[in-house]
């Protein structure tokens, strides 16, 4: 049995498989489940996330608790959001058994992360998660929108998704996730994760993405929804010029051109070349014209 101070508290490959066997759990593709089985990897994630002793961390998709335990060793509190019935029921017992001295610092929310609107205890200051690949971007954006007190975020996602989130204007993979994440935060790649630290090993590589919330909201009179509507329209037909791509959003190609020109953006430009600030400027001009 691990000591209360956390010695040997983290889960290794044998622990993970034993827990899964006891619970009758088989990771499912439907929920994008790949459990981390390497203690060094979860320690690295906590370190890279810059988790501090006064942090209130929210974790999405804790699974069997590998990362949860590593977070609890460092943070003031950890709240885990888990949709899976069996995993949600088992996690508090795992925490109590392996980190009994920290169990009162842990809370579990048994819910779909996309539906979470409030969390127990103090407001979260950090989001750290191994996000299920199939819902990574919507869950990340939902959490950032719903909990403005989240200052720092570190998520592990599929490498391709990490590239998209951290992409800059002009990049081939720059798109809707890049712009929307940048609305909230400064985004950057924070490392790569090999396949062999997971069970089962995925057939794709993983990457870490760091998001540090903007110290001040974007300076614009347009609302987030208004700006995101421009972004969605621009990338729905990303090969088209903005004049054509935004025609439906603006009401006509001529109206789109007028908004673009007023915002100081070439109607012949494409969405992949614009910053989030420029998308906001376009939304403002439509508002001004209506």
């Amino acid at each position: 049995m691990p000591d209360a101070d956390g010695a040997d508290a983290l889960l290794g490959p044998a622990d993970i498989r034993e827990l899964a066997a006891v619970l009758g759990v088989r990771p499912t593709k439907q929920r994008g489940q790949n459990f981390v089985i390497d203690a060094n990897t979860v320690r690295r994630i906590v370190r890279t996330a810059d988790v501090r002793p006064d942090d209130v961390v929210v974790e999405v998709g804790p699974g069997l608790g590998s990362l949860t335990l590593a977070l609890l060793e460092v943070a003031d509190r950890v709240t885990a959001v888990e949709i899976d019935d069996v995993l949600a029921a088992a996690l508090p017992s795992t925490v109590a058994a392996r980190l009994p001295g920290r169990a009162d610092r842990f809370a579990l929310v048994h819910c779909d992360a996309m539906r979470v609107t409030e969390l127990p205890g103090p407001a979260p200051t950090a989001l750290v998660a191994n996000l299920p690949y199939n819902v990574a971007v919507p869950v990340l954006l939902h959490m950032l929108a719903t909990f403005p007190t989240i200052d720092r975020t570190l998520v592990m996602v599929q490498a391709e998704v990490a590239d998209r989130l951290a992409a800059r204007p002009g990049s081939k993979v720059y798109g809707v996730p890049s712009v929307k994440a940048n609305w909230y935060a400064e985004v950057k790649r924070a490392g790569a994760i090999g396949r062999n630290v997971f069970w089962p090993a995925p057939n794709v590589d993983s990457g870490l993405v760091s998001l540090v919330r903007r110290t001040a909201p974007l300076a614009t009179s347009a609302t987030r929804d208004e700006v995101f509507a421009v972004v969605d329209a621009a990338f729905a037909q990303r090969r088209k010029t903005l004049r054509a791509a935004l025609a439906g959003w603006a009401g006509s190609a001529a109206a789109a051109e007028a908004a673009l020109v007023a915002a100081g953006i070439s109607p012949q430009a494409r969405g992949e070349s614009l910053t989030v600030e420029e998308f906001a400027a376009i939304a403002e001009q439509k508002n001004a014209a209506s």
Side-chain angles (χ1 to χ4, degrees):
M1 178 63 66
D3 299 331
D5 65 1
D8 303 316
L10 302 190
L11 299 170
D15 301 311
I16 291 287
R17 289 188 170 87
E18 183 183 342
L19 259 175
V22 168
L23 298 173
V25 167
R26 291 294 303 172
T28 70
K29 281 189 177 178
Q30 179 191 356
R31 287 192 171 154
Q33 289 170 330
N34 297 91
F35 300 131
V36 181
I37 57 174
D38 180 61
N40 287 329
T41 297
V42 293
R43 283 197 180 98
R44 176 187 161 199
I45 290 170
V46 172
R47 214 167 39 242
T48 307
D50 190 24
V51 175
R52 303 161 191 173
D54 60 347
D55 270 325
V56 178
V57 179
V58 58
E59 180 191 8
V60 174
L64 292 165
S66 302
L67 180 56
T68 313
L69 293 166
L71 289 166
L72 263 175
E73 285 187 333
V74 180
D76 182 51
R77 294 178 179 277
V78 175
T79 299
V81 180
E82 177 59 67
I83 188 174
D84 186 287
D85 295 343
V86 175
L87 295 174
L91 190 54
S93 300
T94 301
V95 169
R98 302 191 76 89
L99 276 177
R102 304 289 292 165
D104 62 338
R105 302 275 176 176
F106 173 73
L108 181 109
V109 175
H110 181 196
C111 184
D112 179 349
M114 287 297 294
R115 298 179 182 276
V116 170
T117 55
E118 57 183 5
L119 295 167
T125 59
L127 166 64
V128 185
N130 169 22
L131 289 178
Y133 288 167
N134 51 350
V135 293
V137 171
V139 165
L140 172 63
L141 295 176
H142 171 73
M143 296 298 287
L144 290 173
T146 307
F147 301 103
T149 56
I150 292 175
D151 177 53
R152 283 160 290 118
T153 295
L154 188 81
V155 291
M156 177 159 55
V157 294
Q158 187 175 333
E160 184 184 333
V161 175
D163 289 340
R164 282 192 204 138
L165 283 167
R168 296 288 182 262
S171 162
K172 287 182 179 178
V173 295
Y174 183 75
V176 172
S178 329
V179 184
K180 290 185 177 180
N182 208 237
W183 168 269
Y184 299 104
E186 296 296 326
V187 189
K188 66 177 184 179
R189 276 291 293 256
I193 300 288
R195 304 180 187 194
N196 61 344
V197 303
F198 295 98
W199 173 68
N203 55 9
V204 292
D205 293 321
S206 300
L208 298 176
V209 181
S210 162
L211 301 96
V212 177
R213 193 177 289 269
R214 293 174 177 272
T215 51
L218 212 65
T220 176
S221 60
T223 66
R224 180 185 65 216
D225 288 347
E226 288 168 345
V227 176
F228 283 11
V230 185
V231 175
D232 289 334
F235 286 103
Q237 305 175 78
R238 65 181 296 150
R239 293 185 182 278
K240 292 190 175 182
T241 65
L242 286 171
R243 184 185 192 276
L246 298 181
W249 163 82
S252 70
E257 178 166 347
L260 288 160
V261 170
I265 294 158
S266 167
Q268 301 308 308
R270 288 175 171 77
E272 64 199 34
S273 68
L274 268 57
T275 64
V276 66
E277 289 85 357
E278 288 172 318
F279 280 111
I282 297 168
E284 284 180 20
Q285 291 306 323
K286 186 190 177 192
N287 289 345
S290 57

